[in-house]
Amino acid sequence: MDLKNKKFIFIVNPNSGKLSKKKKVKLITECFPSNPDIVFTKNSQETSFLSAQAFKNKTIVISCGGDGTANIVANQAIIHDGIMSIFPFGRGNDFAKFIGINNEKDFKKIFLKPTVFKSGYLDLFFKDNHKICLTSAGLGLLSEAAYRASKIPLLQGRLLYIVAALSCFINLKSHSYILNLNKKENLTKKMSILVVASTPYAGGGMHIAPDAQKNKNKVNIIYAKKVSRIEAIGLLGKVMSGNHLGHQKVTNSHVKNCKIDTNENNFWAHLVYGDGEYLGNLPVNIQKGTKKLKLLIPENETID
């Protein structure tokens, strides 16, 4: 792709990660020295509005934040058929990891040999709204850990989510989930973990869904039956390396669509988290997005 005469805007979440505004500007200008257009947004609504305006004007938007910021920008990119990229400044950066942009060195490569990669994502339909998810939608232990991670200062990356997950083990819960798979198969089971994934990484680089890309037209659903604390700790260790799919209590499959609900009143049972953010409460219908998300990445980057 020829970037000559292309317009760019860097939309920056000032609250993502631990870097100061000054440091973020310095990194952007070092990677893109041609007088970059940099905007620090006040909230998610402004991020969404500015992204939409940029895409309407055929401007390439660089999301400078974490997975939550990328999610907001991506939603507008999909609606307006725009092109975006990511400069990861967040605490998790799982989607950036998936497209091979882990730091400023990786980001600089975009401007040497750029190409457009068309990525899948999840469409989530709740009772009163629609959301997208770039990585994976988690329930049970995963949603509780994501909630707790959002309350933990200072830590970031995999360590943040390990600490959050371990804090959940103090009062480990399993919840009864009702799954309708491919609009015909109904399952009701007690589960500790339930995740629907489009891409492999979650929790700051944990390989939660290593098979996510094996069938790009279907979502990857993974769940673990009720486990003890000892089993949960063992599973956490396996998740870090992506070796958990062979565990006797883990089920891994690909489906066209799934509906998830619960018959419990427990607060934690209803929560759905994805891209490091709260997405909504059950029930939810999940499927692969019908359009593709256009991402500017280095030409030789291998997407796994």
Side-chain angles (χ1 to χ4, degrees):
M1 180 182 182
D2 186 1
L3 297 182
K4 188 178 180 180
N5 298 323
K6 295 290 184 181
K7 295 181 292 182
F8 291 82
I9 184 170
F10 291 77
I11 294 182
V12 189
N13 183 344
N15 301 313
S16 289
K18 296 192 284 188
L19 297 178
S20 66
K21 285 186 177 181
K22 184 177 180 180
K23 180 64 174 176
K24 288 174 181 177
V25 169
K26 183 175 183 292
L27 284 173
I28 291 169
T29 53
E30 286 175 352
C31 294
F32 192 87
S34 303
N35 193 25
D37 185 4
I38 303 172
V39 179
F40 284 89
T41 55
K42 299 180 181 67
N43 50 47
S44 58
Q45 290 78 18
E46 186 177 19
T47 298
S48 182
F49 174 78
L50 291 176
S51 298
Q53 293 301 112
F55 291 130
K56 288 176 185 177
N57 293 324
K58 306 301 180 185
T59 299
I60 297 173
V61 177
I62 311 298
S63 169
C64 303
D67 291 318
T69 304
N71 179 298
I72 296 167
V73 174
N75 189 53
Q76 294 302 324
I78 293 163
I79 292 170
H80 299 289
D81 194 31
I83 299 173
M84 68 172 287
S85 192
I86 300 173
F87 199 163
F89 287 159
R91 296 204 290 170
N93 305 313
D94 290 302
F95 191 64
K97 180 178 177 64
F98 166 64
I99 61 173
I101 303 174
N102 297 291
N103 48 46
E104 60 268 27
K105 182 179 178 181
D106 294 332
F107 182 72
K108 284 181 180 179
K109 293 178 184 177
I110 291 173
F111 303 101
L112 299 175
K113 287 188 176 182
T115 191
V116 174
F117 168 69
K118 295 181 180 180
S119 175
Y121 55 92
L122 301 177
D123 264 331
L124 293 90
F125 299 94
F126 295 95
K127 184 178 180 180
D128 298 316
N129 66 343
H130 162 254
K131 294 286 183 73
I132 68 164
C133 181
L134 303 175
T135 55
S136 57
L139 296 95
L141 178 60
L142 294 175
S143 59
E144 184 176 348
Y147 175 91
R148 295 187 184 281
S150 69
K151 308 298 181 183
I152 299 174
L154 303 178
L155 298 180
Q156 64 181 25
R158 187 178 293 189
L159 179 60
L160 168 65
Y161 289 92
I162 291 173
V163 171
L166 289 173
S167 70
C168 300
F169 293 171
I170 296 170
N171 186 21
L172 185 63
K173 308 173 188 70
S174 295
H175 306 292
S176 178
Y177 290 111
I178 304 163
L179 304 183
N180 182 285
L181 306 177
N182 293 323
K183 298 182 179 180
K184 60 182 180 180
E185 183 181 355
N186 287 290
L187 300 170
T188 301
K189 292 180 180 289
K190 277 278 189 181
M191 302 178 191
S192 297
I193 296 170
L194 173 57
V195 60
V196 182
S198 177
T199 54
Y201 304 106
M206 291 189 187
H207 222 166
I208 190 72
D211 285 352
Q213 292 289 295
K214 285 193 174 180
N215 191 321
K216 296 186 179 183
N217 296 317
K218 295 182 178 182
V219 299
N220 186 196
I221 183 167
I222 304 161
Y223 60 85
K225 298 175 187 176
K226 183 177 180 179
V227 294
S228 66
R229 286 187 181 86
I230 296 298
E231 287 176 317
I233 292 170
L235 262 178
L236 180 61
K238 289 181 178 294
V239 166
M240 286 189 283
S241 58
N243 293 320
H244 56 293
L245 299 185
H247 192 281
Q248 61 181 355
K249 291 193 174 180
V250 172
T251 297
N252 174 50
S253 63
H254 289 79
V255 297
K256 277 283 188 183
N257 51 65
C258 63
K259 180 179 180 181
I260 306 172
D261 203 351
T262 182
N263 52 18
E264 295 188 11
N265 293 321
N266 186 294
F267 169 78
W268 299 110
H270 289 262
L271 296 183
V272 183
Y273 267 74
D275 297 341
E277 304 288 334
Y278 167 72
L279 297 178
N281 276 20
L282 295 180
V284 64
N285 284 283
I286 306 177
Q287 62 187 40
K288 269 298 182 76
T290 54
K291 296 172 67 177
K292 292 294 185 181
L293 169 62
K294 295 179 180 178
L295 294 157
L296 190 64
I297 66 170
E299 186 176 275
N300 296 323
E301 184 54 47
T302 300
I303 306 295
D304 60 7

